Amino acid sequence: MSKRYDAVIIGGGHNGLVCAFYLARAGLKVRVLERRDVIGGAAVTEEFHPGFRNSVASYTVSLLNPKVIADMRLADHGYRVIERPYSNFLPQDDGRYLLLGGGLERTQAEFRKFSNHDADVLPQYYDALETVADVLRDLSLKAPPNVGDGVKTLVDAARQGRRLAGLPVEKQRDVLDLFVKSARTFLDSWFESEAVKAAFGFDAVVGNYASPDTPGSAYVLLHHVFGEVNGKKGAWGHSVGGMGKITEIMANVCRDLGVEISLESPVEKVLVDGGKAVGVRLSGGEEIAAERVIANVGPKLLYDRMIDASDLPADFLRRIRAFKAGSGTFRMNVALSELPRFTSLPEPGEHLQSGIIIAPTLDYMDRAFLDAKQYGMSKRPIVEMLIPSIVDASLAPPGQHVASLFCQQFAPELPDGRSWDDERETAADVIIDTVEHYAPGFKASVIARQIHSPLDLERKFGLVGGDIMHGNMSLDQLWSARPMLGHGAYRGPLKGLYMCGAGTHPGGGVTGAPGHNAAHEILADGTLLGRLFRRA
């Protein structure tokens, strides 16, 4: 083996870099291994056509935790986010449109175009979500109580449950509703307009291969309101330079602390000796010794492909093979000769700086999922389009633009033995045609397109099933059960093996929270008190 490290991290995505930062700051010798030729995992910026650059997979900012931003001093190194003037713009089939965000009064005015009742009840709805979101924001930066840790499990459960238990009973009912109900059932209890319900319900299917009628989908809706931009809760924004600028800055901060970052270094296997992870072997044969092996890849990739089955406990192996992954996401970037002109709002304006949502009703979203289940892809998919070049001229030539198309629902695996290699262009055509229906002339404006089917996302970024969350965000795969009860606090089933990716609490999105939390648990294990708690 080559020289030994205190920690080796598999995968150079943002959570791996965040974890590396905290470990290196504490004095550990850390090496990050990234299989691609660029750092950042799924948060990268690439030129996909001469003169046109864009975020390739992850594409917008809100969930990146303020503590991580402050601790890493990202703003001091060039991190800058431009807020969207509105959160979302939803064109409707009847020629109308709905704008969501931009302040309570502006949103209420928009809602009154569809329902006075919905405008009136909006402040109470926001209050209900924000109360729950505040509690969960706090929990997102804490390791969940880990079943099997004895006294520590009880102490952590009591401490973390205190805030929930202290909520008024009405708020506790909101918590229960958001964790177990479908998005439709939850939203039906608040609103009457289908357009308004769609504006909120869209978040329930982002990265979620499910219908808004699926029980538990209301939680995914909540997960996407955790964030903030520039201190404004619930806001969304564009990262100047694309998402790759964020991970580029993170990598530089890590290097300044002595972290070694190795590109084009794909890990083939986690090395195990006597029930302990002792290092990794790269696909080229190099073996790297480490006191701790930390996986910033999803549980499916780690346990199905990087560790010999004989090295894992039988019950763990059976259960981890049942871990659900596959988000139904199809991701495109397009180079445009001009801005799109939507029938409902044709002239350029602030709506083009928002998230443009092609999903006018919950029924539309449900049909998209049912089509994908039956045919492998939606006939009229859910599309979110962002045009970051409007506010970041560095991404496209003058007068031209780039757009992100983040699309649902597309089966992780196509039925009838079909391959995404054969169907990806067809799916891309369907997506373009879907936008064309609401913005005539869009198709003719497309100069070039970069296509990532679920299979492309798996091959390029290691996202098994194309799952941008590293695993379904369902009730059985959340909090202490992410990825599995007994391993919910970032520790694997082998000594010296840890997990710091989105397949751990609090889940997907560019948050940095799993990396932050994993690092703190790893460092705690290095203390006498931490070792005593592990044995208790």
Side-chain angles (χ1 to χ4, degrees), residues 12-19 40-43 64 246-247 250 296 509-515:
H14 79 282
N15 276 311
L17 294 171
V18 170
C19 185
L64 187 57
I246 299 174
T247 48
M250 287 180 169
N296 185 37
V510 180
T511 71

Side-chain angles (χ1 to χ4, degrees), residues 188-205:
D188 279 348
S189 71
W190 284 96
F191 303 111
E192 60 185 18
S193 164
E194 293 305 314
V196 168
K197 285 184 277 189
F200 292 119
F202 165 74
D203 282 338
V205 298

Side-chain angles (χ1 to χ4, degrees), residues 101-120:
L104 176 62
E105 292 77 13
R106 293 175 83 178
T107 303
Q108 284 181 300
E110 285 288 313
F111 281 18
R112 291 197 192 282
K113 299 189 305 187
F114 296 87
S115 166
N116 284 325
H117 167 272
D118 291 358
D120 291 339

Side-chain angles (χ1 to χ4, degrees), residues 313-328:
D315 183 70
F316 177 91
L317 185 62
R318 178 180 68 84
R319 292 180 184 277
I320 205 66
R321 284 175 173 170
F323 183 80
K324 301 187 297 295
S327 61

